[in-house]
Amino acid sequence: MCVTTATCESGAGSEPHIGRPIPNTQLYVLDERMRMVPPGTPGELYIGGVGVGRGYLNRPDLTAERFVQNPFNSTAGDRLYKSGDRVRYREDGNVEFLGRIDKQVKIRGHRIELGEIEAVLQQYPDIAECVVTTSTDTLGDPKLVAYLVPRRAGQTFDGELKGYLRLLLPDYMLPSSYVLLDELPLNANGKVDHEALPKPGRDHHEERDIAAPRDGVELDLKLIWEQVLDTRPIGVTDHFFDAGGHSLSAVHLMDQIHKHFGVRLSPAALFEASTIEAQAGLIRRSGESAPAPIVVPLQPLGDKTPFFCIHPAPGTVFCYMPIVSHMGLDRPFYGLQAPTVDGVGRVIDSIPEAAITYIEAMKKTQPNGPYMLGGHSSGGSIAYEMAQQLRAQGDEVALIVMLDSMAPIPGGRSEELYRLIVDATNDSVWLASIVLLVEHFFDTKLGCSYALLKSQPMEQQFETVLDALKRVNFLAPSADAGAIRGMVENFKRTLGATMQYQPKLYEGRIAFLKTSDLFTAVPDGVMREGIYNYLKALLGNWRMSLRILPQIVRDITTTIRRSGALRRFLGDESLGWQQFSTKPVIVRPVPGNHISMLTDPHAQGVAAALAACLNDQEPPSRS
């Protein structure tokens, strides 16, 4: 049936659209919670009006799924038809068709259009037909599977196909398995019969040389890898991420290695020992935990000046992976993580101390400048201090990039604001902050609000958060509350050191990537409670003696004056960094908020802005 109409004009020079609704018909573009989305934002098309039917004949289940109550009309029985079409409103009021919702999947927090992967595969000259779908591994995690029909019978694919895809797709869109078929199974309507597609297995994988294990250690590791990744066979020279691994399965892999060998390796070790062969060498040489490296090569390729990005408060650098996947292969991207990220090592209590430690580690990778530094949130302050120390040592710093990192408040008031927002001694605040970060990264709700945690004894709070993080596979099944305590301590110490930091004037170039909402990282109720406690302490008992009333008035006046200065400070496009720089700060708006900027789809826009800043300031000798 027809519900929209459009005029197609020759030579209009724009992509075709499906137009506007016909009379007595309404079109709604809604998100997953049936809330309207703004023009330009993709959503699902819902159709309302007098033309909406009563349902599907003899299909009450499908009728209930597709014909839903209209939340925008209180009239009883008024329903919307859930079309399954992915669309968006254009600025001119016309609706643009983007694809089908049922061809969209969600894997590890990333929304993926399977048709986009299929379109790239179809461009490969040796592939006649293909279809991409999902399968579930032994951990219950979905993974992408590509079914390929070669143009020539008996043809196989080597590493060139993976290399081709890696150039055109981000890592999270790369298939974990490739199944070769003589032809795609079709149903009676001539469409691909997904139910008839064979499950990934040895008989259907592309043929390639499999490096066999050479001793018992490599054999045991091979079995562990194949169990965790649900992929067989795996050779001892195969790379973890090419075999379908990701940051979550890395946690499970290291957990299984510790159980089997008694050796605790950090998940970050996968970036330096990414094959069975390399990990076997680590196990043979060490009977104890391997210390986590400070410098992690998130993307080590390229001949441009490397970019070193310092960790935010939790201490890890895995949060930068979505941005890295969109950055290309022409510039090395290194993450600098906290020494305590694996639960051992000394916690750093001050920004200058952290800068000394990180510069020493960074220079082992890049001995001489010019340097390009950056960091998200509190990582920006560490990058700023590193740049100051490097310049004092005679090294050149080409650029600092602040990823939504707020500068210290003028006059040393950062710590005062810190106390106003949170009670640093209250571990419930830090537990709720960790939960909030994980919820944003995985686009889910864990049911561990700040109010709920506060109602529980402290030991139970740690167990509640531990169980919640295990449910989304953020932590390994065998992890105990000690893992949460380490994150809380790193969170607390890093933010405390950031708030106490008083930077000096900087004479180099600073770029600032600004989001729309800085305080998304504060759990609901925390700021309200902090302000209430602050004012309560300030005012004291209202029955106090009148002789100290003038002091109360002065304190309130000072607070109001400072809050005015704070408002002006937060209104600064650079969030305060301009006052610490002798040169104009480069400000680039980026999509998302303080947390979601690190996740897709916003990470793609952040990567583009970051790459532009780095390219603009690339030293001439490396251009």
Side-chain angles (χ1 to χ4, degrees), residues 265-419:
L265 303 178
S266 165
L270 277 175
F271 291 98
E272 295 184 346
S274 58
T275 65
I276 292 174
E277 182 182 56
Q279 286 184 9
L282 289 179
I283 292 173
R284 295 187 197 100
R285 293 191 298 269
S286 175
E288 58 185 11
S289 299
I294 290 178
V295 179
V296 179
L298 300 180
Q299 196 294 104
L301 303 178
D303 55 4
K304 292 184 178 180
T305 304
F307 179 60
F308 293 88
C309 200
I310 292 82
H311 64 84
T316 68
V317 292
F318 284 106
C319 59
Y320 295 133
M321 288 303 296
I323 294 176
V324 174
S325 69
H326 296 292
M327 287 287 288
L329 303 177
D330 58 348
R331 184 185 303 278
F333 191 118
Y334 295 95
L336 271 64
Q337 64 184 0
T340 54
V341 71
D342 57 356
V344 298
R346 181 177 57 86
V347 175
I348 298 175
D349 289 318
S350 74
I351 297 299
E353 180 186 357
I356 294 172
T357 301
Y358 294 170
I359 288 174
E360 180 182 357
M362 180 180 67
K363 286 200 168 188
K364 294 178 181 178
T365 300
Q366 183 185 341
N368 302 303
Y371 293 99
M372 286 185 159
L373 309 172
H376 174 255
S377 194
S378 58
S381 292
I382 301 176
Y384 184 93
E385 177 61 24
M386 289 176 65
Q388 291 280 36
Q389 292 187 18
L390 285 166
R391 288 172 63 87
Q393 296 169 12
D395 289 304
E396 180 184 352
V397 179
L399 182 66
I400 310 173
V401 184
M402 304 293 181
L403 281 71
D404 210 39
S405 174
M406 188 176 76
I409 305 298
R413 300 297 179 186
S414 295
E415 195 169 4
E416 184 174 325
L417 174 65
Y418 180 56
R419 293 197 307 269

Side-chain angles (χ1 to χ4, degrees), residues 399-557:
L399 182 66
I400 310 173
V401 184
M402 304 293 181
L403 281 71
D404 210 39
S405 174
M406 188 176 76
I409 305 298
R413 300 297 179 186
S414 295
E415 195 169 4
E416 184 174 325
L417 174 65
Y418 180 56
R419 293 197 307 269
L420 182 64
I421 296 176
V422 297
D423 175 8
T425 64
N426 182 4
D427 282 350
S428 301
V429 170
W430 307 110
L431 288 169
S433 298
I434 292 170
V435 168
L436 181 65
L437 288 173
V438 174
E439 286 181 337
H440 274 270
F441 274 104
F442 289 91
D443 191 18
T444 187
K445 288 294 182 182
L446 297 179
C448 299
S449 66
Y450 176 57
L452 172 66
L453 292 173
K454 277 182 56 183
S455 68
Q456 299 175 344
M458 185 53 65
E459 289 301 319
Q460 185 179 348
Q461 292 183 38
F462 280 97
E463 293 296 333
T464 298
V465 174
L466 177 67
D467 293 340
L469 298 191
K470 285 183 178 181
R471 286 201 305 271
V472 293
N473 290 329
F474 185 78
L475 292 177
S478 62
D480 56 24
I484 306 296
R485 294 181 193 278
M487 294 177 66
V488 166
E489 191 63 24
N490 209 75
F491 219 125
K492 186 189 307 183
R493 297 286 188 92
T494 301
L495 282 181
T498 302
M499 292 301 175
Q500 294 170 11
Y501 179 51
Q502 298 185 30
K504 299 177 182 178
L505 191 64
Y506 181 67
E507 297 183 356
R509 180 67 71 184
I510 298 175
F512 183 78
L513 305 188
K514 181 185 179 183
T515 68
S516 59
D517 186 358
L518 175 67
F519 287 110
T520 308
V522 181
D524 291 340
V526 170
M527 187 181 296
R528 182 172 61 251
E529 180 183 81
I531 293 175
Y532 171 78
N533 291 335
Y534 178 84
L535 293 178
K536 182 179 178 181
L538 179 68
L539 295 174
N541 193 323
W542 66 271
R543 294 189 179 93
M544 65 177 56
S545 172
L546 291 177
R547 68 175 178 272
I548 62 172
L549 183 59
Q551 180 62 46
I552 295 177
V553 173
R554 284 195 296 273
D555 287 344
I556 294 176
T557 303

Side-chain angles (χ1 to χ4, degrees), residues 95-113:
V95 176
E96 182 180 358
F97 177 77
L98 301 175
R100 290 287 299 171
I101 295 293
D102 54 15
K103 292 287 286 183
Q104 186 182 82
V105 298
K106 188 174 181 181
I107 296 182
R108 301 187 297 278
H110 299 288
R111 297 194 181 281
I112 298 173
E113 294 283 349

Side-chain angles (χ1 to χ4, degrees), residues 34-69:
M34 292 189 68
R35 299 174 300 188
M36 290 189 185
V37 300
T41 302
E44 185 171 2
L45 178 65
Y46 286 72
I47 304 167
V50 297
V52 176
R54 298 181 179 180
Y56 290 96
L57 181 63
N58 299 326
R59 291 294 304 274
D61 55 339
L62 192 58
T63 297
E65 176 186 345
R66 291 293 185 178
F67 292 82
V68 298
Q69 179 66 37

